[in-house]
Structures are given as structure tokens and as C-alpha cells.
Amino acid sequence: MNPEIASKIADAVDAAFDRQLEFTHELIQYPSLRGRELAIQDRLLQEMSDRGLATDRWRIDAEDIEDHPGFGPMTVPYDEDFNVVGTYTPPETRGRSLILQGHVDVVPTGPEENWTRPPFETYVQDGWLYGRGAGDMKAGLAANFFAFDAIRAAGYAPAAPVCFQSVVEEESTGNGALSALLRGYTADAVLIPEPEENALVRANVGVIWFTVRVEGKPTHVREMAEGFNAFDATNDVIADLRRLEAEWNARKDEQPDFDRVEHPINFNVGLIKGGDWPSSVPAWCEISVRAAIYPGVPADQAWAEIQEFVRQAAIDRHGSEARLPTLKRSGFFAEGYRLEEDGAAESLLAETHQQVFGAPLETFTTPGYLDGRVYTNYGNMPTLTYGPRSLDIHAFDERVHVESVRNITKTIALFIAQWCELDPLP
Amino acid sequence: MNPEIASKIADAVDAAFDRQLEFTHELIQYPSLRGRELAIQDRLLQEMSDRGLATDRWRIDAEDIEDHPGFGPMTVPYDEDFNVVGTYTPPETRGRSLILQGHVDVVPTGPEENWTRPPFETYVQDGWLYGRGAGDMKAGLAANFFAFDAIRAAGYAPAAPVCFQSVVEEESTGNGALSALLRGYTADAVLIPEPEENALVRANVGVIWFTVRVEGKPTHVREMAEGFNAFDATNDVIADLRRLEAEWNARKDEQPDFDRVEHPINFNVGLIKGGDWPSSVPAWCEISVRAAIYPGVPADQAWAEIQEFVRQAAIDRHGSEARLPTLKRSGFFAEGYRLEEDGAAESLLAETHQQVFGAPLETFTTPGYLDGRVYTNYGNMPTLTYGPRSLDIHAFDERVHVESVRNITKTIALFIAQWCELDPLP
């Protein structure tokens, strides 16, 4: 594109960057944990409205989405789960349309005393902005808006529709993104600035969440040698799952994008709960498991394999079906996705990235869930998951690299400018 | 004693036994779980009042008991924890005074679907009365009252004070019994009809409850190989505790009453809880442990040994103090006790037991906590823990043997008659 216009847009990002940072602080300060996403969504709706976008706000309704193969079973009510979308429509469309997506939900903080400062009190230190959600993905949410602003500050407007989508539940089901797709939002490309180390996601795994519950006959502790111990039985199941995980990792060479990923398939036992009384041998125990699956493997096929493996292992161990654990789906039920190589959107992103970073765009494969699977697998839209450097997302002292956010914002702005094309502002 | 009087008293037990059973059903139907003991206590207070006893009802106040070495740290508020005591005082005392104790609290039911019928819906089948608390120890609570009633129905009254004590918190701290002792209730003997297989407890273990918490640095599951996993760390601690348990069991030959008990020291991990999110490597995990200690070993000595063992094992494992688990007392902090052989109370119980059961009284050593430790260790009172046959206390389908309850009631009645001596009713 015209280097003068490009440079005007980049300068506009710089000029507004202090305000962008301030807004990012503000977004992080919303403790938008699962089920507590309403306040920030209404704040973002206001942002959309202030920018003159046509707004849409709706509650995620399970009835609308539960028959879709990409639906993840809900384990919490969705009373306060609203998506908000703001759409910019040019007077006349010349370029290609674009969805800029972000999710507002953040994962739990864990014990707050393990944070250097409270997780929702933001601060910048040594070039990093700290806070739960800083990287994943409040910085990206803010970048979407400020990239758009920069184009207008430079005196232009996109010549194709740009749709700002702020969704919920990315961290537990992906039902927020699915609901947006099924509401009818489509475009010629989707860009999601998740924290991806200034790189583009080529492929990612699918994710299934499930619970495993074991139950047995407890006893008074004075006869504990005779009783069933649910914690021991749970450790047996965890060992079974580890074996299946190893089997799946051994299949990585069949996967075009995963052969260089050391351990693509992680089974994580993230929650455990069991027993009723210190002096009773525990009668039950339940774990929540997150399992990854290769892109191309349907979730129901993987799920059937997990269930059968655990079942058969229990039968082998006990010699009967007497002690079968109960497995239930409890969230993500998502296939992975793969971004096809050398598409137009990717080529353009590579170009704008090179312009801003002075280095080629790298692509990589990531072993974590991404909403990109919704738009890629079910919307047939090229989806660019591409965003800033971060550290310790999902951990303590999560942080995002401030200069990386600045550059990512410039790349997005230049991408909008060329993907959508530009009209001069009147 | 006069066989005619004895037989009149035994007959009186039989005559009222249907009503006794009915009352036992009623007591079991109170779901008097920890913290829900108030309703049944008020019901029992009414029973005491109806029998013309002088009643006393007080809330357990930690301030009154927390400096006592037998105090167990509270983990729940005692807002609704009341002891009730009813005292019979004869016009003139000739015989020896007696405390008849029972506790109203029951342990949790565990998953109700594992019960044949709901745990607080009582029923009799094949000679067993079913329900949570049937054996431990609603049947014993009722037996105390009906044993006393039988004496009066036979035309007599005890010639010494008889004190009915209904206490709370036997299953988690023993603070109920401790509070009764410190309120000043003493007697020449104590009888507690816990479910003891028609036998007398010679000795029992002490019990300590504590929690162990491990914490570490979690990570996004995509980097899980680098993170600390709290569940794995907890399994390490459990293995440490198993080693200490084995060491303590190996010391059983030094214990006069425990050499014949196969596994006197049980460490039970009864509750587990950890992690915040299925897709995060768990940052923390906490277990609740019940450990047994030999009688004669002070609780604080055992507690120091546990703490040091776990601490040293963690240092050995990690090569530093970086990952020390946190141990906290969380309930029982109780020494065991030993009933001295051939005391007057035991001799008399042996005699009345032989009369009723036609077989000698057996004594045994039990690896579970008993309130008897309060009266024996701190009240210097001979304490007879002796009660009916039961099955699956602390488990599913808890039940007590009906004919055993009848005979135990007769034994208690005859014991009262001879221990307290009798006056004819006017």
C-alpha cells in the first residue's frame, strides 16, 4: 500500500497508544471470570456505540446451539452470558469484510497470595503489563478497537464491513463464538489477537473436557483395610489416562503440523474433589480432565475412544464391570483446526507483519484450544489467530509485552486498511 | 443382686422394648449431622424433663475449653452446638453415682444413592435396624433412658445420682464431652453405649485430624511439563504419611493392648480438594487426614512427629525447603485411653453382662476415637464403653442389631441397679 498512508496509520497508533494502554488496564481490571462477564460486555458495547457502530447484544441460548457438533455441554447457567457485536458498514463496499474477535472471559486466578500483586490490580513493570487476562486476551480486545481508530485518525475509513465481536466462554466451551457464528455473523476473514508471541497459529488441537467419578463402599476407618478407597481408585484412572495420552502423542508423526511439537497431546487433571469426612475412607472422588485431540479428529470419535479406554482398563484391573468409573462431558467438545497455507488473508498478514516488525511472520502449532476452530471448521472462513507476546497466561503474574501490543495493533490496522481497502473520510 | 428384682427389671425392659425401638427410630430420623444437632438435643432435653430430671443446656463455648490439652481445634462455628444433661438425684445417696453418656452427632451419609433406602428413613429387616446413626449411637442414647425407666417400672429408683449426658461433636473433636467434664459433671463411673459388639473397650487410640496443603506455580496446560502439579505433590505427601503409618504400626509390640491388633494405626486421607480450572495445571491441593496414635502418647508429641516427618521428606525430595507443605490441625487432637483392669465398675459390668448374655464379658482394643478418653484421662473416672452389635457404621446401610440393643439395655439397667443401689419407690 501507499507507504505514506501506512505511515500515517502507524503514527496514529502511536499517537493514541497511551489511551490504548489505559483502556487495556481498565479492561483487565474487570474480574471477568466465567459467569461474571456481563459488566465488561456492557462496557464494550458502549465503546462500540461511541464509535457509531451498529450494535447487537444477545444472551447465549443453549437451545440455539446445542444441536451443533461444535457445542460444548454447559455446566453453569448462562443467565448473564451475553455476546456483544458492533458492526461498521461503509456507505459502499469495495474491499473484503472482516471480523475482529476477542473473548472477555478469563481463567481463575488461583490462590491470590501467589501473585506478586492482586491479579486484577494492573501495573506495568520492565515493559510488561501485569494482570489476569492481560495477555489472554484483554490486550487483544483493546487492540481491535484502537487499530480501527487509527485508520480513522489517519483520515480514512474501511471500505468493507468490519465486525467487532466480543464473546464469552472461550475458556470453557467456545459456545460464545459458536453462538456468534450461528447468529449469522460471517466475513471474508476473521482475526483474533490471542496471545501468540507475534506469530500466526497454523494449527491447534481440539479440546474435550470431562469428569471422571469413582464410587465405592466406604467403611469406618477402623476397618479401612477392607474398604474401597476412592482416592486410590482415582489414581488408577489417572494412570490409565496417562497411558492413553502417551498413545496419542505417539501418533503425532501422522499429523502434518505436530511432528515438531514435543508433546502435543496433554491430558490435564485440573480439579479434584472427593470424600465427605476425615475419618471415613473416601467413598467417592471426582476429577475434571482436559484432553487435547488432533485437528481432523472429530470430538465424538475421541470421546468414544477415551470412554472405551477407561472402561476397558477398569475391567482389566478389577476383572469385572463392578467398578466402572462414570465419565461425563463437562465443557469443551471441540475439534482442532488448521489454517490452510498461503491463503489471501495469511499472505496479507505476512506482508503487514513484515512491514511493522521488520521480520517475517512465523507460523506455529499450538496445543491449546482456540475459538478459531469455530470459524474455520464451521464457517469456512480463513481465521488468523495472531497476537502479542505474553507470559504466564493461566498462571500467576500473567503479563503482556507492551511494545508487542503496540506493534500488533499496527499490524492489525494495516491489515484492515488493505483487506477492507480504504475510503477517505469526508 | 436379688434375682427376683433383677428379673423384674429385665422384664420391664422387655415390656417397654417396642416403645424403646420406636423412640430409637425417631432419634435416627433426626439428621443430626455436625452442626445440625440442635433439634435432637432439644428433643432429648424434653425426654429428661418428662422424667423429672434436673436439666442443664449450654452452648459449647470455645473460650471455656480451648486451653485444655484435650481440646480439638474447631473448624466450624459452634452457634448451634448445645450439650444437654439431665440429672436424677435421689432423696438420699447410698450407692455410687453414674454418668450415662451418648453423642447425638452422626457422620455424613456419603452419596445417598449408595444406600438401599434413604439414610434417615429407618426400617428393620432381618433383625437389624437401619439408618445413619443407628449404631453410632442413637440406639445407645435411647438405651440409657429405657434402662433407667425399667428400674422405675420395676418399682425402684437408683439410690445415687444418675446423670444423662447427651453431647455433640464426638465425631470430629470430642469437645462436647470435654465441655461436659469442664462444666463440672463427675461421677464414680461413666458408661457410654457406643456400638462395641456387646463387648467392653479396654483401650483405644487417640486421634489427630489435620490438613495438608501443597501449593506451587501452575501453568497454562500447553506448557504443563514445566509446571508444578499439586496433585502429584499431594500423592508424594500421602506416600510419606503411609511410611510414617508403617513406622508407627511397627511399634505396636511396645503397646500392651495393641500387640494383637493387626493394624492399630490407620492414617486416613478422608477428603481431597484441589485445582481451580480443568485446563490449568492444579496450583494447590488440600487433603484432610485422620491419624491414630497409641494411648499414652500425648497428642502434641505425635503432632510434632508428623510435622517433622512430612517436612523432612519434602526437603529430601526437593533438596530444599522451597516446597514445604502446610500442615494444620483441624479437629481431633486427642490422646487415646486405657481402662485399668479389674476395677469395680468393670467387675460389676462383667457380672451383669454374664447375667443377661449368659457369656463372659469380652474386652478388646479398638483403633477408633472414643469420648471415653475425656473422662478417663482428665476426669480420672472409670469409663465403660460398651454397647450393641452394629454393621457399617460410617458406611452405607449402617445398622444395629435389635436383640443386641435389648440385651445391652438390660445389662445397663442391672448395672445401674447394683452400682447405684436401689430404693423402693414410695
Side-chain angles (χ1 to χ4, degrees), chain A residues 378-393:
Chain A
Y378 309 119
N380 199 25
M381 297 182 253
T383 302
L384 308 170
T385 305
Y386 163 83
R389 268 180 79 194
S390 69
L391 279 170
D392 293 319
I393 61 169

Side-chain angles (χ1 to χ4, degrees), chain A residues 69 206-208 210 244 247-248 251 254-255 267 291-310 327 329 332-336 378:
Chain A
V207 171
I208 297 178
F210 58 95
L244 182 61
E247 280 191 20
W248 286 8
R251 294 177 202 167
E254 305 160 19
Q255 294 289 333
F267 281 24
I293 59 180
Y294 293 111
V297 176
D300 51 9
Q301 179 188 318
W303 176 229
E305 191 177 342
I306 291 168
Q307 288 176 290
E308 182 50 30
F309 192 92
V310 170
L327 278 75
R329 294 162 47 182
F332 284 123
F333 198 70
E335 290 186 37
Y378 309 119

Side-chain angles (χ1 to χ4, degrees), chain A residues 2 30 72 91 110 125 189 213 216 221 244 246 249 258 275 297 300 313-314 334 389:
Chain A
N2 178 326
Y30 283 90
Q125 192 175 298
R213 187 179 170 96
V221 70
L244 182 61
N249 276 306
F258 285 86
V297 176
D300 51 9
R389 268 180 79 194

Side-chain angles (χ1 to χ4, degrees), chain A residues 241-288:
Chain A
L241 291 170
R242 290 269 162 268
R243 285 207 315 282
L244 182 61
E245 180 191 33
E247 280 191 20
W248 286 8
N249 276 306
R251 294 177 202 167
K252 75 176 177 180
D253 296 336
E254 305 160 19
Q255 294 289 333
D257 303 296
F258 285 86
D259 52 348
R260 283 169 309 158
V261 181
E262 197 184 340
H263 197 266
I265 300 297
N266 288 313
F267 281 24
N268 184 60
V269 180
L271 283 107
I272 192 165
K273 200 176 166 189
D276 297 300
W277 195 247
S279 287
S280 296
V281 178
W284 64 276
C285 188
E286 189 170 301
I287 53 173
S288 294

Side-chain angles (χ1 to χ4, degrees), chain A residues 48-49 70 225 395:
Chain A
M48 294 167 183
S49 191

Side-chain angles (χ1 to χ4, degrees), chain A residues 28 91 94 100 128 172 196 203 209 212-213 226 249-250 276 298 355 357 363 383 426:
Chain A
I28 302 167
R94 286 187 295 113
L100 294 169
W128 294 88
S172 47
E196 303 296 0
W209 275 11
V212 184
R213 187 179 170 96
E226 297 161 25
N249 276 306
D276 297 300
Q355 258 181 296
F357 284 87
T363 63
T383 302

